[in-house]
Amino acid sequence: MASEDIAQLTEALAKTHVGELSYKGQGLKLDNAESVKEIVQEIEQFQGLQSLRLEGNTFGVEAAQGIAKAFEAKSELQECHWSDMFTGRLRSEIPPALKSLGGALMTSGARLTQLDLSDNAFGPDGVKAIETLLKSSACYTLRELRLNNCGMGIGGGTVLASALTECHKQSCASGSPLRLKVFIAGRNRLENDGATALAKSFKLLGSLEEVHMPQNGINHAGVTALAAAMQHNPNLQVLNLNDNTFTKRGSIAMAEAIRHLQCLQVINFGDCLVRSEGAIAIAWALKEGLPHLRELNLSFGEITEAAALIVAKAVQDKADLEKLDLNGNCLGEDGCEALREAMEGMNLGDMLGSLSDDEGEPDDDDEDYEDEDEEEDNEDTEEETDDNGTDNDNVDEENEEPHHISELMAFLNSPSSEKLISLGAKRVQLIEQEVDVSDACKVSDVFLKISSVYKDEPEVKQAVFESTDALLRKAFSNSHSYSFISSLISNLGLLKSEDKKTKVSVLPGHLLALEHAAAQEFFPLDQAGVLEAFVSRHGKVLESCSSARDALKTTLAKRTTA
């Protein structure tokens, strides 16, 4: 046999799926039992039917009932590829058709591994039509569930979540727990409530390897719920939440989640409004793990140059990296060039995607971001702390020297060098005990208040440096220390923030105290790199303190290049 014939035979065999009967993409319009007579006969005569492909045709209610009757005896059926089956049908026709198909699967005793109903605009009623099927033993073995572009809405998402939860419960009781691996439900208008309901079922499953939920109108509340659920799925490899709205809170929650997902290979947070603060948090998570990362998409997220460079540095040790997508952000022409140079300098130039849709540098005069999720702010609960960054619960009424605590509060309420010095030798201990370092904004506020009283006098200088060093030493021991740097550079005007906060007039003491701390061993090199990136690229906002700014830049450069 000629080599060309062997190649053709090999190709033909590769396209042959044993046990599969396919009518894919034939464009058939099947309205009644008569129209599906031949298909019914072929299904009935097909021995060992494992996969049935009906996608790309359109089935009326009677036609679906005829098809369903044909595979009631097909107990070996495992894969149902039934996407795009109802084009041109009335929405009222779809639920009864789905009920017929689902009922036949349950009657047959089939154990499904794949169910694809994507691109069928059946809405919440369609989800209700397959609810019984999803709860049944036919789906205890389900590995892939594809419901992309079905118009489920919040109601459908909630019903789906309940069905998956019940399936998991019943399958566990039977001794064979549901281990769903692939979940796809993009373009379904799930919004926060639908996403939150699904997150609860995902947490129970713990078996997911791929989650695709793009374009669902989910904002930070839903993203946060999904992030918490993902942490319970340690084998997750692909996470696609493209075109939802993270903002800062959602980004930080997702960054915390991916730190725990060491199998993650593909992250698609493109068009999610991650912004610079979120990008820094995600970069920090990347630095701590994700050794198998292949693709990272943070495109169209309003990320600025400095934050993009931090992301680039975070992926430099990813041996499997294939693509970094930062297109459509706010780098500017110089920023795009700096990013290309940085990637090339790490021998990753080929991994950087196109930057052709960059939005340009943001205007310095732009107002701070308004949080798109502001309407939900009233639903958020905040820990009760006073305005000085100290936790009221930590005040011990039986403390041997309560006047020291009140003096600390008095200093923070109205900072002065005299008050700081009057705290005496216990000021470091008091700061370490009373400042809640889990709240990055509070830590930043306390740091700025202490360093604002700086004077070029030995006693004052020593008191300030001892106090700020103690504060930062404790802050950097916290697992979320990147949040402090993000908050601080925002307060210093180096980074536009979503948070509504009073603008700080930058003083030399702020930068000199930071410079002193940056030279110490407790100041993490990664954090020094983040700070150095922003000071180098946005130093103009510190022009009023140029001498202190230059000293800080010099110290940071020494730390990061040592």
Side-chain angles (χ1 to χ4, degrees):
M1 181 180 292
S3 58
E4 184 176 334
D5 295 333
I6 295 176
Q8 290 177 348
L9 178 60
T10 302
E11 183 178 355
L13 289 171
K15 293 180 179 179
T16 301
H17 299 278
V18 177
E20 179 177 280
L21 182 57
S22 176
Y23 301 93
K24 179 179 178 180
Q26 294 185 18
L28 303 175
K29 189 174 187 299
L30 307 165
D31 299 321
N32 48 45
E34 183 64 26
S35 66
V36 294
K37 190 173 182 180
E38 288 186 19
I39 295 177
V40 167
Q41 188 176 17
E42 289 177 355
I43 291 174
E44 290 175 341
Q45 294 177 353
F46 197 102
Q47 299 299 311
L49 181 63
Q50 297 178 11
S51 175
L52 180 60
R53 308 195 74 104
L54 300 176
E55 65 265 51
N57 301 287
T58 177
F59 292 80
V61 176
E62 290 185 18
Q65 290 171 342
I67 294 287
K69 189 70 176 176
F71 59 76
E72 281 186 351
K74 300 298 180 179
S75 62
E76 296 177 334
L77 187 59
Q78 298 176 13
E79 301 179 9
C80 296
H81 301 277
W82 296 348
S83 63
D84 190 20
M85 280 179 55
F86 302 108
T87 300
R89 299 294 171 182
L90 295 174
R91 191 160 180 169
S92 60
E93 292 182 84
I94 302 176
L98 288 173
K99 284 184 179 179
S100 297
L101 294 167
L105 288 170
M106 290 184 286
T107 300
S108 71
R111 295 293 182 266
L112 298 182
T113 59
Q114 294 185 40
L115 177 60
D116 186 356
L117 290 169
S118 298
D119 300 316
N120 291 310
F122 47 58
D125 291 340
V127 183
K128 292 176 183 177
I130 60 171
E131 182 180 8
T132 303
L133 169 64
L134 291 173
K135 291 179 179 179
S136 74
S137 59
C139 289
Y140 289 179
T141 51
L142 200 61
R143 296 295 179 263
E144 298 185 15
L145 178 59
R146 301 171 184 264
L147 297 169
N148 201 57
N149 190 31
C150 291
M152 288 190 287
I154 295 172
T158 303
V159 171
L160 174 61
S162 176
L164 290 175
T165 299
E166 183 64 21
C167 183
H168 181 264
K169 178 182 177 181
Q170 296 297 333
S171 63
C172 286
S174 73
S176 302
L178 172 64
R179 296 194 57 78
L180 188 68
K181 293 184 177 182
V182 177
F183 179 85
I184 300 177
R187 301 180 66 187
N188 272 292
R189 305 192 311 275
L190 294 171
E191 301 183 17
N192 284 341
D193 291 344
T196 300
L198 285 166
K200 293 177 181 178
S201 61
F202 294 165
K203 184 177 179 179
L204 284 175
L205 291 173
S207 56
L208 291 169
E209 295 180 6
E210 292 189 28
V211 174
H212 301 260
M213 297 175 65
Q215 292 183 296
N216 270 298
I218 307 169
N219 62 30
H220 75 85
V223 171
T224 299
L226 289 171
M230 292 305 107
Q231 294 187 49
H232 294 270
N233 290 267
N235 295 319
L236 191 69
Q237 297 176 25
V238 179
L239 181 57
N240 176 9
L241 295 175
N242 188 285
D243 200 8
N244 289 291
T245 307
F246 283 29
T247 59
K248 177 183 176 180
R249 282 176 284 183
S251 299
I252 290 176
M254 196 56 71
E256 176 62 24
I258 64 177
R259 286 176 61 236
H260 302 279
L261 301 173
Q262 296 303 302
C263 295
L264 204 54
Q265 298 178 22
V266 177
I267 299 174
N268 187 344
F269 297 159
D271 205 10
C272 284
L273 214 59
V274 167
R275 294 182 173 145
S276 294
E277 289 176 289
I280 292 171
I282 291 169
W284 192 252
L286 297 178
K287 295 278 288 185
E288 293 188 352
L290 282 73
H292 306 295
L293 185 68
R294 291 191 292 109
E295 296 182 19
L296 174 62
N297 184 347
L298 295 178
S299 61
F300 299 93
E302 296 189 3
I303 299 169
T304 58
E305 174 193 351
L309 289 170
I310 291 165
V311 171
K313 290 178 182 178
V315 301
Q316 64 179 322
D317 295 325
K318 308 304 177 187
D320 297 329
L321 187 70
E322 296 175 3
K323 185 175 182 180
L324 172 62
D325 190 348
L326 288 167
N327 196 19
N329 283 297
C330 303
L331 310 185
E333 187 175 340
D334 291 342
C336 288
E337 185 59 30
L339 180 59
R340 291 189 190 97
E341 290 179 358
M343 292 292 285
E344 289 171 1
M346 297 183 291
N347 294 320
L348 296 174
D350 293 340
M351 310 303 173
L352 181 64
S354 170
L355 299 174
S356 60
D357 294 319
D358 186 73
E359 296 287 339
E361 293 183 70
D363 294 334
D364 292 337
D365 295 333
D366 284 351
E367 295 181 0
D368 284 347
Y369 296 124
E370 292 182 4
D371 193 339
E372 283 77 5
D373 309 315
E374 186 177 351
E375 68 275 6
E376 297 187 10
D377 286 351
N378 292 332
E379 299 176 12
D380 296 336
T381 56
E382 296 182 358
E383 187 177 346
E384 293 184 0
T385 58
D386 64 70
D387 291 337
N388 301 312
T390 56
D391 190 337
N392 287 327
D393 293 338
N394 288 340
V395 179
D396 187 350
E397 293 180 358
E398 298 180 0
N399 192 292
E400 293 180 1
E401 297 179 280
H403 65 279
H404 281 292
I405 296 176
S406 62
E407 287 174 2
L408 175 61
M409 292 181 182
F411 165 75
L412 292 173
N413 277 327
S414 180
S416 71
S417 57
E418 291 78 15
K419 289 179 182 177
L420 183 63
I421 291 173
S422 71
L423 291 175
K426 285 191 174 181
R427 60 176 168 263
V428 169
Q429 181 182 354
L430 292 173
I431 291 169
E432 290 177 341
Q433 289 177 346
E434 301 304 324
V435 179
D436 179 13
V437 297
S438 67
D439 188 332
C441 292
K442 299 292 186 181
V443 175
S444 176
D445 184 55
V446 172
F447 173 84
L448 292 171
K449 287 181 175 180
I450 296 173
S451 56
S452 70
V453 306
Y454 173 90
K455 293 180 181 178
D456 195 15
E457 299 173 5
E459 187 177 15
V460 177
K461 185 187 296 187
Q462 181 179 356
V464 169
F465 288 168
E466 284 180 353
S467 300
T468 52
D469 282 1
L471 176 66
L472 297 194
R473 185 181 292 107
K474 185 179 180 183
F476 285 132
S477 67
N478 186 278
S479 62
H480 300 288
S481 60
Y482 67 83
S483 295
F484 160 69
I485 285 292
S486 181
S487 181
L488 182 62
I489 59 181
S490 174
N491 278 325
L492 293 174
L494 300 172
L495 172 66
K496 187 186 293 187
S497 175
E498 294 175 7
D499 298 329
K500 291 178 173 61
K501 48 180 81 170
T502 304
K503 300 252 185 186
V504 174
S505 296
V506 181
L507 302 172
H510 294 147
L511 305 183
L512 291 172
L514 196 54
E515 186 267 335
H516 183 271
Q520 311 306 313
E521 289 187 2
F522 68 77
F523 202 103
L525 285 176
D526 289 339
Q527 304 286 21
V530 171
L531 189 56
E532 194 270 338
F534 278 89
V535 172
S536 296
R537 283 159 179 81
H538 303 285
K540 288 182 180 180
V541 301
L542 307 176
E543 192 63 40
S544 61
C545 308
S546 58
S547 179
R549 176 201 63 192
D550 294 343
L552 175 59
K553 287 175 65 176
T554 300
T555 296
L556 291 171
K558 287 180 180 178
R559 285 297 309 276
T560 55
T561 58

